[in-house]
């Protein structure tokens, strides 16, 4: 059952009609609806193309947050083998908002780390909707450090609304945990590549995405603050999220222009959730390409490459 | 980096502007409501003489109280691209910038300087909460990098005073990128074996806390400073319960192991001198009246002609 976004309403109607026709035909063997249904399908496909051709920044936010969008767990299942989760920060707890462990990417052993939002009510609660607490970042620090010592490349998959704003999280040093995770990203002498697969929410994303190479799915977002948060502060009205989404330049296309990311990964028609396999394979290809880019660089060169990349950032505005 | 433009002129300006606004003679303490005489308050580093409440202090005023004889040399900060996103909310970003510059008399939200504290050479950087909430944009990132590079070049410790509501939204993702950028700056200091001391002042929140403010060798906070990642209002909305008294305040963070010390602003200078001298393996500081420092050989020759008058310093009496 497809979940439609508000701007997909006309599409829902057409697809609904086609479905109804087919259901009628199944009940009544004499009816021939093939032609009519096919016409509706074609109409739906055309509309889908139109809707997704020029998604506004706010619509991209909606697609990036789509509940059916493939999540970290799906990517790990599809693109990696021998995934062996490693748990815990050796200090307080295991934070399920962050999953990670050893795995093979095209036979090459790597460390994979990502935010997991969960896919139904129960798992969403267990994963805290992908909003990590300090333990999540500290687990990531532990895994990155280990990867560095054993010479394993690190692949991070970013999909979080942000770090969890909770009482316990603050008590246990949320800021320090994020700062240490970003610091570890900059310290490891192994290739570090990131893909923003859904939401890249502020510090919670930076903590894993301070990488040699960063790619973004076409309809994912990466921002300093959510459009709703920005609207409530600068417009004093959270309903102005559409305007805020435009002003923040949070789309993959704008971030590529600003030099913040290195590549945009095309999504299947109608977004990653409409053809998960195709979307995930495209991400796999991007990871392959990014790792290949870094082949042959030793640890010192990789660290230097990463630092220089961030030091140079922000010399480009959108003016051009 | 001209001593006359950076130091003498602002001081002269401040003398004149003070005369023009006589209504600023008294300031009300935000905490206890006592009316405080402007000069007395400034001499007490904006700490209420009645209740000890720490009010905001501008980087320039802080440096004047911090450095020996009030003498410091500003470090140049590379100018970033202005308004990179052409950001516009209810106002245009350049208009907000202009208003902030006019209001504070400063170019941006961070000031970097070199000088001596108790004859200990240091580099200092201070964030200006009165400038768009001290928010961290590209300029602040550049300032931290410039401060770290200067410290590495001169082999001096870096003392950073943080004060910010977080990242500057008007620079969008580029403000977020100052988290890794400032972290690179901290790494430069660590690799050069130089102390990095963070003084967290009210308020230090968001992306600032989650990057350079929490990566110091020593974390000192001013009393009752709000220090957090997510602000109390956001948390209350998320968990729908009222937070305990003193939550996310300096003393609370000290209890939870995030800080080394909570120190009153009026004691801070002595404390910083003591700590930096030990970390730099220098002999204990000579306490007592010392003349204002002579101009250093490593400073441009032009500045020698404008050596400060010792009588001008109020810090000489403080050390």
């Amino acid at each position: 059952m497809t979940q439609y976004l508000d701007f997909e309403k006309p599409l829902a109607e057409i697809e609904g009609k086609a479905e109804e026709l087919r259901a009628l035909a199944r009940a009544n063997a004499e009816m021939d609806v093939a032609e009519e249904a096919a016409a509706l399908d074609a109409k739906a496909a055309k509309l889908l193309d139109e809707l997704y051709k020029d998604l506004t920044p706010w619509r991209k936010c909606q697609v990036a947050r789509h509940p059916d969008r493939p999540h970290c767990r799906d990517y790990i299942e599809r693109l990696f083998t021998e995934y062996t989760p490693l748990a815990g920060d050796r200090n307080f707890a295991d934070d399920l908002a962050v999953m990670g462990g050893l795995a093979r990417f095209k036979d090459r052993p790597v460390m994979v780390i990502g935010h997991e939002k969960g896919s139904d009510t129960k798992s969403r609660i267990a994963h805290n909707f992908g909003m990590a607490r300090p333990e999540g970042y500290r687990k990531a620090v532990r895994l990155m450090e280990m990867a560095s010592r054993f010479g394993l490349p690190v692949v991070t998959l970013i999909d979080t609304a942000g770090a969890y704003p909770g009482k316990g999280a603050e008590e246990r040093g949320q800021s320090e945990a994020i700062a240490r995770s970003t610091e570890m990203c900059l310290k490891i002498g192994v290739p570090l590549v990131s893909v923003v697969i859904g939401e890249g929410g502020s510090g919670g994303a930076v903590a894993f995405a301070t990488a040699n190479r960063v790619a973004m799915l076409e309809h994912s977002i990466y921002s300093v603050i959510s459009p709703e948060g920005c609207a409530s502060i600068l417009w004093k009205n959270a309903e102005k999220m559409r305007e805020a989404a435009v002003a923040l330049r949070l789309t993959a296309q704008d971030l590529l222009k600003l030099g913040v990311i290195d590549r945009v990964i095309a999504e299947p028609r109608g977004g990653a959730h409409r053809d998960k396999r195709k979307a995930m394979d495209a991400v796999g290809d991007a990871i392959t390409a990014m790792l290949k880019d870094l082949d042959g660089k030793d640890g010192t060169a990789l660290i230097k490459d990463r630092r220089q990349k961030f030091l140079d950032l922000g010399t480009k505005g959108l003016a051009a | 980096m001209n001593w006359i433009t950076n130091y003498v002129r602002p001081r002269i300006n401040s003398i004149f502007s003070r005369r023009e606004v006589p209504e600023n003679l008294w300031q009300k303490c935000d905490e206890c409501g006592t009316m405080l005489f402007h000069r007395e308050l400034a001499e007490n580093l904006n700490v209420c003489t009645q209740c000890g409440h720490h009010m905001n202090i501008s980087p320039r005023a802080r440096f004047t109280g911090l450095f020996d004889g009030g003498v410091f040399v500003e470090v140049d900060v590379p100018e970033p691209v202005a308004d990179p996103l052409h950001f516009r909310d209810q106002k245009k970003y350049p208009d907000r910038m202009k208003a902030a510059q006019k209001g504070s008399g400063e170019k941006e939200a961070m000031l970097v300087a070199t000088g001596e504290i108790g004859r200990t050479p240091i580099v200092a950087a201070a964030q200006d909460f009165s400038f768009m909430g001290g928010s961290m944009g590209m300029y602040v990132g550049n300032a931290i990098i410039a401060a770290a590079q200067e410290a590495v070049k001169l082999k001096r410790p870096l003392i950073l005073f943080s004060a910010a509501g977080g990242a500057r939204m008007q620079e969008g993702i580029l403000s977020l990128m100052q988290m890794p950028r400032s972290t690179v700056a901290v790494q430069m200091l660590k690799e050069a074996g130089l102390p990095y001391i963070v003084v967290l002042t009210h308020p230090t929140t968001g992306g600032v806390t989650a990057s350079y403010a929490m990566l110091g060798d020593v974390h000192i906070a001013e009393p009752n400073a709000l220090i957090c990642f997510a602000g109390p209002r956001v948390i209350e909305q998320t968990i729908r319960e009222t937070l305990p008294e003193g939550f996310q305040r300096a003393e609370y963070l000290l209890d939870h192991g995030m800080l080394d010390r909570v120190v009153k602003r009026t004691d801070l200078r002595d404390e910083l001198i003591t700590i930096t001298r030990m970390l730099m393996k220098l002999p204990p500081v000579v306490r007592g009246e010392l003349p204002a420092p002579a101009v250093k050989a490593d400073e441009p020759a032009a500045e020698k002609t404008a050596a400060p008058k010792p009588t001008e310093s109020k810090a000489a009496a403080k050390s």
Side-chain angles (χ1 to χ4, degrees), chain B residues 127-175:
Chain B
Q127 220 158 350
D128 192 346
F129 187 69
S130 70
F131 195 106
M132 295 185 80
S135 55
M136 168 180 68
M138 291 193 289
Y139 185 92
V140 169
N142 284 357
I144 297 167
I145 293 166
Q149 285 171 335
E150 191 73 7
V152 171
K153 191 177 88 189
L154 302 173
K155 299 193 175 64
R156 293 181 183 192
L158 174 62
I159 300 176
L160 187 142
F161 299 85
S162 66
R168 187 169 296 168
M169 279 178 282
Q170 290 86 351
E171 291 183 18
I173 191 82
L174 294 174
S175 67

Side-chain angles (χ1 to χ4, degrees), chain B residues 161-187:
Chain B
F161 299 85
S162 66
R168 187 169 296 168
M169 279 178 282
Q170 290 86 351
E171 291 183 18
I173 191 82
L174 294 174
S175 67
L176 190 66
M177 290 300 123
Q178 305 314 313
M179 291 174 68
R181 289 185 89 227
S182 59
T183 307
V184 173
V186 175
Q187 287 179 329

Side-chain angles (χ1 to χ4, degrees), chain A residues 212-261:
Chain A
N212 292 94
R213 298 287 183 273
V214 183
M216 272 177 85
L217 272 173
E218 191 185 345
H219 305 311
S220 60
I221 56 165
Y222 190 6
S223 179
V224 65
I225 187 169
S226 71
E228 294 93 329
C230 179
S232 73
I233 296 172
L234 291 180
W235 278 264
K236 318 261 178 251
N237 177 3
E239 298 291 305
K240 295 278 182 192
M241 68 268 186
R242 286 173 188 80
E243 285 87 339
V246 172
L248 282 167
R249 313 274 176 183
L250 40 65
T251 67
Q253 293 71 20
D254 276 343
L255 298 189
L256 185 69
K257 275 188 222 157
L258 287 166
V260 171
I261 61 163

Side-chain angles (χ1 to χ4, degrees), chain B residues 99-121:
Chain B
Q101 284 167 340
K102 215 176 152 208
S104 66
E106 296 289 347
K107 191 162 64 176
E108 252 281 4
M110 189 171 263
L111 190 65
V112 184
T114 59
E116 295 188 353
I117 54 168
R119 290 289 192 273
T120 320

Side-chain angles (χ1 to χ4, degrees), chain B residues 238-276:
Chain B
T238 311
I239 63 173
R240 293 175 202 287
E241 59 179 274
T242 321
L243 295 163
E245 176 76 20
F247 182 67
Q248 298 178 319
R249 296 290 169 166
E251 297 72 13
Y252 182 92
L253 266 86
L254 184 70
D255 283 349
H256 285 82
M258 288 299 138
L259 300 174
D260 293 288
R261 306 179 58 75
V262 175
V263 178
K264 285 187 215 146
R265 194 179 288 157
T266 43
D267 297 339
L268 203 49
R269 183 172 180 274
D270 282 347
E271 182 118 343
L272 289 169
I273 294 169
T274 307
I275 294 170
T276 45

